[in-house]
Amino acid sequence: MDDDLRERVAATAEESALFNALKHDSDAQVGAIMGPLMGDNPEFREFGDEIPGVIAPVVERVNDRSTEEKRERLAELAPERLEELDAEDESEDHALPDLPNADAYDEIRMRVAPNPNGPWHIGHARMAAVVGTYKDRYDGYFLCRFDDTDPETKRPDLDAYDEILDAIEYLGFTPNRVLKASDRLETYYAYARDLIDLGGAYTCSCPAEDFSNLKNNGESCPHREKDPETVRDEFQGMIDGLYEPGEMVLRIKTDIEHKNPALRDWVAFRLIDTPHPREEAAEYRCWPMLDFQSGIDDHLTGVTHIIRGIDLQDSAKRQQFVYDYFNWEYPEVIHWGHVQVDAFDVPMSTSTIKELIEGGELDGWDDPRAPTIASLRRRGISGEAIVEAMTELGTSTSNVDLAMSSIYATNRELIDDDADRAFFVRDGVEMDLSGGPERGQPPIHPNHEERGKRTIPVGSAVLIEAADLPPEGERVWLKGYGCVRRTDERAFEYTDDDIEVVREGDVDVIHWVPATTSVRARLRTPDGDVTGHVEPGLLGYDEDDMVQFVRIGFARLDAVPEATDPTDIGADDELIAYFAHP
């Protein structure tokens, strides 16, 4: 990042921090301004790892100001934003907009409706994060309904049902009710029969291409005026398996001359021979289309507000025909754009991720290279950080970019205080060491002296990273140990220099591990695995503990060797950690 860009980042951050602090009448938080900062300034995103270091001191200076000083400074920088603040009702401040007509309902009832054809990628988390947040805000009702009525094209994965519910819990929410659409076939059949009796549906045996031509020309299907009794009999024949797939469908009677051909007499039920993977639904062959099934269920479960993608606007229009036949009130609808996520080479596509796993290119859904909820969770990123970033995106109809750096910034604030520091040396260079103390004692946490220091035995040699190796005759400061000088190609000697040489900028501070008692380690990252060695004290930690590897970043310990003495570790044993973020 050059100086000009650094100044722009700092200036933008100051304005955002002032606005944030005044809006919430509290200290500004780096995590809270990271998302909007990166979203509104795409040119900043490639420097996502550096941005927190630039804006943190800016935020600190803002927080040192009094409220009146903050107002004066914001009036100087961006008077229109101060006017915006003054016009707001602070008591009703939320990241998400108010739900439309919320006061008209005794209870706000919303749903997530996942297709369980695989575990969730990051994009899926947005719906649960927003619905769960609205549920908490309005003291409402959260329904999770698995829309699993396509056993062929989007075939359900039996493990995905529980994996998706686990993901929702990880995000911090518990549904009030969980339904599987594949358990409700008889209910859909009953409403289809009622619709037939109302003259709102008919069975059609036109070849698909013939009906398409009729529909596109605004011409009625020859089966459209069948009497309800015949339609009921033929629909029962569909249920009883008297027809082959493609021979018969049930259509909703709409407006055959509607200006939008996609809404003309759409299919409500079709035949599928592929058995559903759930044993309870394996015998069914007559399956509802999603627009019919979802429309019926939304009404029966009392859903008041639906959020769906902007590309699904026709769904509401199709379902409105069904609701009109039954004289039902249609729920409020919010359409939003797609969320796009940076930082991953793997597309956010369930089918693509599944193919990569089956082909051996990914280790599983929790591979750190995968843009999945399971991956973020294994890396030690909290559900709370994801929810905050997702809700900050709002509900705009435009496509939105989610900067992973905003999730990382929030997670950093959540875990920093509790994460002990540790050294991880990547494929280190071994240097003999003479003349110094027997052990190093870096702090467990630099901001919490009360937690004490780590004791790292030195021995006769240390490992450092190749990039940190100084020229012969030059010095470096081994963090928590002291100053050493390189005396020849593979040797350091301890010097008596004190910390002033660091403060004066003459000596770099580097991390290190003992050469003989360090522990082999593997750090799994979104860019691939990194091997190296960690300090021996990590053998006393547990799986799931979060640490910060100094000068590298935060990581979750995934597997820690059982041995307490590094000399007892087996030849193939190693500590495994998953990289979270810088």
Side-chain angles (χ1 to χ4, degrees):
M1 183 188 304
D2 60 31
D3 290 342
D4 288 343
L5 184 59
R6 186 178 296 272
E7 290 179 7
R8 286 179 54 210
V9 170
T12 306
E14 183 181 11
E15 179 185 320
S16 297
L18 288 164
F19 183 86
N20 181 269
L22 291 168
K23 184 181 182 73
H24 299 288
D25 192 24
S26 65
D27 284 348
Q29 301 292 328
V30 173
I33 68 173
M34 272 291 292
L37 188 79
M38 304 295 271
D40 295 341
N41 300 275
E43 68 275 21
F44 293 174
R45 293 175 192 156
E46 64 177 294
F47 304 99
D49 292 347
E50 299 177 58
I51 296 290
V54 176
I55 69 176
V58 175
V59 171
E60 186 176 347
R61 289 195 297 272
V62 166
N63 291 338
D64 285 340
R65 293 175 180 264
S66 68
T67 298
E68 189 56 37
E69 288 171 336
K70 290 171 185 170
R71 288 182 60 85
E72 291 175 359
R73 180 60 175 160
L74 186 59
E76 179 184 337
L77 294 177
E80 73 283 357
R81 300 203 75 184
L82 186 60
E83 292 174 6
E84 178 186 343
L85 274 176
D86 290 341
E88 286 183 353
D89 179 356
E90 297 286 14
S91 65
E92 296 183 2
D93 172 58
H94 300 283
L96 293 168
D98 292 341
L99 287 173
N101 300 315
D103 293 341
Y105 301 93
D106 293 333
E107 182 180 49
I108 298 299
R109 299 172 71 94
M110 303 182 74
R111 47 81 165 173
V112 295
N115 184 316
N117 62 331
W120 273 359
H121 56 62
I122 297 171
H124 289 126
R126 186 185 185 194
M127 184 69 77
V130 169
V131 168
T133 299
Y134 275 131
K135 185 258 188 185
D136 290 346
R137 176 168 155 188
Y138 288 100
D139 192 22
Y141 186 95
F142 183 147
L143 169 70
C144 177
R145 185 189 69 229
F146 289 103
D147 285 349
D148 59 348
T149 55
D150 184 350
E152 188 171 57
T153 308
K154 291 193 173 182
R155 186 167 177 78
D157 176 340
L158 291 179
D159 293 330
Y161 294 89
D162 286 340
E163 288 166 338
I164 290 171
L165 291 175
D166 285 346
I168 294 173
E169 292 283 347
Y170 157 67
L171 294 172
F173 307 108
T174 301
N176 295 86
R177 187 182 183 189
V178 177
L179 293 177
K180 298 182 179 73
S182 57
D183 284 334
R184 298 168 56 79
L185 270 293
E186 298 298 336
T187 297
Y188 308 136
Y189 294 163
Y191 279 91
R193 294 185 184 102
D194 290 344
L195 202 55
I196 290 168
D197 291 342
L198 291 170
Y202 64 95
T203 44
C204 170
S205 57
C206 291
E209 186 175 351
D210 291 352
F211 182 84
S212 180
N213 291 332
L214 291 169
K215 177 189 72 172
N216 291 334
N217 292 326
E219 299 176 15
S220 297
C221 162
H223 310 107
R224 201 171 194 264
E225 301 306 323
K226 288 179 185 175
D227 62 89
E229 184 176 351
T230 300
V231 176
R232 280 180 68 100
D233 288 344
E234 291 182 345
F235 180 61
Q236 189 61 46
M238 291 176 64
I239 295 170
D240 294 340
L242 301 183
Y243 305 101
E244 296 296 320
E247 286 187 348
M248 187 75 72
V249 296
L250 183 74
R251 295 187 180 278
I252 302 300
K253 190 180 295 185
T254 65
D255 176 1
I256 199 63
E257 296 180 350
H258 196 285
K259 62 181 181 180
N260 182 354
L263 306 186
R264 298 173 184 172
D265 288 15
W266 52 275
V267 173
F269 284 82
R270 81 293 202 198
L271 296 166
I272 297 175
D273 270 348
T274 304
H276 198 282
R278 292 186 65 236
E279 186 177 338
E280 300 87 336
E283 298 302 317
Y284 289 100
R285 293 295 182 272
C286 181
W287 287 93
M289 298 294 287
L290 181 60
D291 282 332
F292 184 86
Q293 167 250 302
S294 178
I296 296 295
D297 279 336
D298 285 338
H299 173 75
L300 294 182
T301 55
V303 168
T304 62
H305 293 76
I306 299 169
I307 301 177
R308 57 164 62 107
I310 191 70
D311 56 323
L312 298 177
Q313 293 183 78
D314 284 348
S315 289
K317 296 171 184 176
R318 292 190 189 98
Q319 292 170 347
Q320 187 65 60
F321 286 103
V322 175
Y323 275 58
D324 287 345
Y325 280 118
F326 287 123
N327 291 315
W328 294 342
E329 288 292 327
Y330 198 76
E332 310 283 346
V333 181
I334 300 165
H335 288 106
W336 63 13
H338 292 291
V339 60
Q340 301 163 341
V341 180
D342 64 7
F344 290 93
D345 294 328
V346 176
M348 280 201 310
S349 160
T350 300
S351 58
T352 298
I353 296 169
K354 189 177 294 186
E355 289 173 4
L356 292 172
I357 292 171
E358 291 172 352
E361 295 181 55
L362 292 175
D363 294 339
W365 290 93
D366 57 3
D367 189 304
R369 297 167 293 179
T372 60
I373 297 298
S375 171
L376 295 188
R377 188 174 188 175
R378 194 164 190 183
R379 288 168 55 191
I381 296 171
S382 70
E384 182 181 347
I386 298 171
V387 170
E388 182 170 321
M390 289 296 184
T391 54
E392 286 290 341
L393 296 175
T395 57
S396 168
T397 55
S398 301
N399 290 342
V400 290
D401 293 330
L402 172 67
M404 287 303 298
S405 53
S406 65
I407 292 179
Y408 298 160
T410 301
N411 199 65
R412 188 181 298 112
E413 291 188 354
L414 293 171
I415 66 174
D416 186 18
D417 272 352
D418 294 327
D420 290 350
R421 279 21 179 187
F423 294 152
F424 181 106
V425 172
R426 295 163 285 197
D427 291 331
V429 175
E430 182 170 340
M431 300 292 290
D432 293 335
L433 178 58
S434 61
E438 295 181 354
R439 60 185 61 84
Q441 291 193 304
I444 292 175
H445 195 295
N447 300 330
H448 295 280
E449 293 182 4
E450 73 280 3
R451 279 155 64 177
K453 297 183 177 181
R454 318 178 326 253
T455 297
I456 308 176
V458 177
S460 60
V462 295
L463 297 175
I464 67 169
E465 298 195 354
D468 291 334
L469 189 63
E472 288 191 30
E474 296 297 321
R475 298 167 297 173
V476 291
W477 188 279
L478 301 183
K479 191 173 181 64
Y481 182 77
C483 192
V484 298
R485 185 188 307 276
R486 184 180 177 186
T487 57
D488 59 36
E489 184 178 357
R490 285 291 182 266
F492 283 146
E493 67 175 4
Y494 185 76
T495 74
D496 291 329
D497 297 302
D498 62 23
I499 194 64
E500 287 303 316
V501 297
V502 173
R503 293 174 180 153
E504 292 169 2
D506 296 333
V507 174
D508 292 332
V509 178
I510 67 172
H511 60 290
W512 57 279
V513 294
T516 57
T517 57
S518 59
V519 178
R520 287 184 305 280
R522 180 177 302 274
L523 183 62
R524 307 214 63 204
T525 84
D527 297 321
D529 289 1
V530 177
T531 57
H533 290 76
V534 296
E535 61 188 73
L538 283 180
L539 291 177
Y541 284 68
D542 297 322
E543 294 176 9
D544 287 332
D545 282 345
M546 295 295 298
V547 298
Q548 183 188 24
F549 289 130
V550 176
R551 302 173 68 215
I552 296 174
F554 293 91
R556 175 190 152 273
L557 301 184
D558 190 74
V560 180
E562 293 183 3
T564 57
D565 186 330
T567 61
D568 294 333
I569 296 176
D572 297 324
D573 208 0
E574 62 184 358
L575 181 143
I576 298 175
Y578 276 66
F579 180 75
H581 48 72

